[in-house]
Each structure stands twice: as structure tokens, then as C-alpha cells.
Amino acid sequence: MFAMQVKRRRPARAFVVAAVLGIAGSAFGAFGGSAFAGGPVPIIFDTDIMSDVDDVGAVAALHALADGGEARILAMGVCVKNAWSPLCLDALNTYFQRADIPLGVVKGPAHTGASKYAQGIAEEFPHALKSADDAPDAVLVYRKVLASQPDHSVVMVSVGQLTNLRNLLKSGPDSSTSLDGVELVKTKVRAWVCMGGIFPKGQEFNLVKDGPAARYTVEHWPTPVVFSGWEIGDQIMTGARLAEVPKQSPVRRAYELYNGLHNRQSWDQTAVLYAVRGLDGGLADYWLRQSDGTLHVKPDGGDTWYSSTSQGQSYLVRKMAPEKIAAVIESLMLHAPGT
């Protein structure tokens, strides 16, 4: 079972040596002014909280950033079909004293799978959501929330398959707004930060497990995009220090159920951290950003970065030692609710 979990993120074939020529480390103007300088960054968070535990670490980090006044969590969505996943996410939000976060789930075909921890967290910790069937369509949640926000303000963060985001782009006018999905995103979203892909070329779990959705979303997304690829989080190891937090923590319990509180790669946490602190150059010491090209996704989800004139897409390239970034991320994961 553990070998299958490792396969969750290990690429079938990975070309992870970054092409460092042409790296743009300071092309931050496309994202506009600093959101945190004028208040917390408004975030919509989309997750496949099921097969790997880094999703739990990302949720914990996001709540810590929100408690610190750096982020404002507008909504969350689950992009996979597992009856326990929405309840697990709701339990985490309840633990962090944000049970009122609008929470949606994917409707229609989507990736399915087992989880080592989702059922345990849902059964052992309180949550308001009774069943996955009771949760609304994530697309409707996202449309309603986006329609209520200032133009070009929201940062979308995806740490799973792009099924919900594809469905959002394809959505039509509804009671929330007369804008279709593409126009709504173009009007309200400042940037999308995606944990997905391998750069400059490879096959990565989040894109491969719904290749058509990944291909469509990457091709049609109308705002700037930053990809935090598999190679970024693969060497950033976190989780073991959760043994220091109380046993009443569902974050600790999830890692305990997943791998006995050992360290795990931090793919999803990097996307959250960059979405909140990095869009305006706040993490320029952590990662460089390659921006002179575009990502091509094949129908099977395999990805290749092609150099070209900038089309608003970029990906992160390692700069700071992974151990130093791990210390920052893990400190956020250890955060106690309400502090």
C-alpha cells in the first residue's frame, strides 16, 4: 500500500533537471500590486485530499497563514471522488476554527481512490458536513465566491487534479453572475498557482490522473499561472515534527495514519506558500521563476515546457536549500488553531 502511495507523486518518467538558461527571477509585474501589503491574500483552495498526506500539510499551512493575517480563505473544493475526503477537509477546517468556509465537491466524473487517513480523520474529529453528497458542486461555490470579490483579486491554488478548474472554465451564467466561466476567472482572479507538472518535461500525478482536464485548463486559463512542479517539493521533507503537537491535532493524526509521523515530501505546501508570499517577489530567495515559455499538456497528462515569448505562464526553479524551506513550511504545519 505504501508503495502505491509513493507512486502517487513519483512520475512514470521524470525529466527533472531544470533548464536554468533564461530563468526570470523577478518578473513579478504581471501579478499586479502586493495583495498582502493591502491586506490578506484572498485564496480559493482546490485539493485532492485523499491519496497523499501533503494535502493535509497544505491545509494546515494555509490556516496558519490565515491566522497570521497573510491569507483569507474564501472557499475550498475537493476534486476527487472519495466519500471521506470532504468530511476530512471539513474536520480540518473545524479544528482550525473555520468551519464556515464554503466547501464544494466535484460533481460528475473524477479521479477516485483510497485514502490511508481520510476516513480516520472524519471519524475521529468533529465536522459539520454529514456526507459528501450533502456538499454543493465546487463549481457553484467558486462561481458564487468569485462573483462577490473585487476584480483581479483572488488567487486560485490547486494541489490536485484540475477537474474542478476545468469545470469552472466551462461553466455558464447562473444566479451568481451572468459571466461565463472564462470571463468570470478573467475578471476576478489575479493568478493561479498550480502544484502540477514536471519541468521541463515529465509525467506527474496531478496532471496525469485527469489528463483531459489538465490539458483543457492549462490551454484555456485566462490569467497568469505559476506551476510548482514535482521537482520543487520532492526534496522538501516535513511532517516528523508533528510529533511535538498535541495528539488532539488532526494534522498530526493524518500523518500518523499515513506513515507513522515520518517525514514526507512537501509538494502541495510549496504551492500554498508561494500563492500567499511569493507572487510579488517575497520568496525571491527561495525560488527563481522560469517565465519565457508555455506548458503543453498531452491528452494523457504528460507535460512539456516549450520556450517561447511569455504567455503568462511560469514555473518555479530551486534556489534555496530544501532544508531551509522545509523548516519554514513545517513551522506553519505545527501552528495551533486560533494563535
Side-chain angles (χ1 to χ4, degrees):
M1 181 66 177
F2 182 72
M4 183 173 70
Q5 296 291 349
V6 172
K7 189 176 179 181
R8 185 257 196 221
R9 294 292 191 184
R10 291 288 177 185
R13 63 181 191 277
F15 304 87
V16 299
V17 178
V20 297
L21 295 178
I23 288 172
S26 59
F28 298 99
F31 298 98
S34 172
F36 182 56
V41 180
I43 298 287
I44 291 178
F45 178 77
D46 194 84
T47 174
D48 64 341
I49 189 165
M50 179 178 73
S51 52
D52 209 305
V53 76
D54 57 327
D55 298 82
V56 175
V59 172
L62 182 55
H63 279 286
L65 291 163
D67 281 348
E70 296 183 64
R72 180 165 58 95
I73 307 171
L74 301 177
M76 292 186 176
V78 175
C79 63
V80 290
K81 290 291 187 72
N82 181 299
W84 298 105
S85 293
L87 308 185
C88 173
L89 182 56
D90 194 38
L92 290 167
N93 291 343
T94 299
Y95 172 73
F96 284 107
Q97 302 176 11
R98 291 188 177 86
D100 59 343
I101 292 174
L103 196 160
V105 300
V106 66
K107 301 294 184 179
H111 176 55
T112 63
S115 176
K116 285 186 174 184
Y117 60 84
Q119 180 175 354
I121 299 304
E123 291 181 337
E124 295 176 27
F125 294 87
H127 51 85
L129 188 64
K130 300 303 181 184
S131 74
D133 292 337
D134 292 336
D137 188 338
V139 170
L140 299 180
V141 172
Y142 294 170
R143 286 183 59 85
K144 183 176 181 179
V145 169
L146 286 171
S148 69
Q149 297 304 305
D151 291 354
H152 312 297
S153 64
V154 178
V155 177
M156 303 284 296
V157 183
S158 66
V159 296
Q161 292 72 54
L162 303 184
T163 315
N164 279 333
L165 272 62
R166 185 270 315 276
N167 294 347
L168 172 62
L169 291 177
K170 287 191 169 185
S171 65
D174 61 6
S175 59
S176 297
T177 173
S178 61
L179 299 176
D180 65 25
V182 171
E183 285 301 315
L184 180 62
V185 169
K186 184 177 180 180
T187 302
K188 298 296 183 177
V189 173
R190 179 190 180 205
W192 166 33
V193 179
C194 172
M195 191 281 116
I198 295 175
F199 295 87
K201 182 178 181 179
Q203 290 185 309
E204 184 273 326
F205 183 89
N206 286 347
L207 303 189
V208 167
K209 288 301 179 180
D210 192 343
R215 181 181 176 90
Y216 186 92
T217 306
V218 171
E219 286 183 353
H220 292 85
W221 195 264
T223 79
V225 185
V226 179
F227 296 97
S228 182
W230 173 89
E231 68 282 359
I232 292 298
D234 185 57
Q235 298 181 49
I236 300 174
M237 306 299 294
T238 61
R241 285 192 59 207
L242 286 167
E244 302 171 15
V245 308
K247 292 183 178 181
Q248 293 78 14
S249 164
V251 181
R252 169 183 168 143
R253 181 59 173 151
Y255 275 77
E256 187 175 54
L257 290 169
Y258 184 81
N259 66 2
L261 283 174
H262 294 293
N263 275 333
R264 181 63 175 154
Q265 283 92 337
S266 305
W267 294 286
D268 294 350
Q269 296 95 318
T270 63
V272 165
L273 187 65
Y274 197 84
V276 176
R277 293 182 175 174
L279 290 177
D280 294 299
L283 300 180
D285 291 338
Y286 287 49
W287 299 292
L288 302 173
R289 205 170 73 224
Q290 176 85 21
S291 60
D292 61 341
T294 187
L295 184 67
H296 173 74
V297 181
K298 297 187 293 185
D300 66 359
D303 67 275
T304 303
W305 180 265
Y306 288 106
S307 296
S308 66
T309 57
S310 177
Q311 299 184 31
Q313 297 183 359
S314 56
Y315 67 89
L316 301 182
V317 178
R318 175 181 167 182
K319 183 177 182 182
M320 182 181 287
E323 295 80 9
K324 293 184 178 180
I325 302 175
V328 173
I329 289 174
E330 199 161 41
S331 68
L332 293 170
M333 291 167 54
L334 269 60
H335 174 76
T339 61

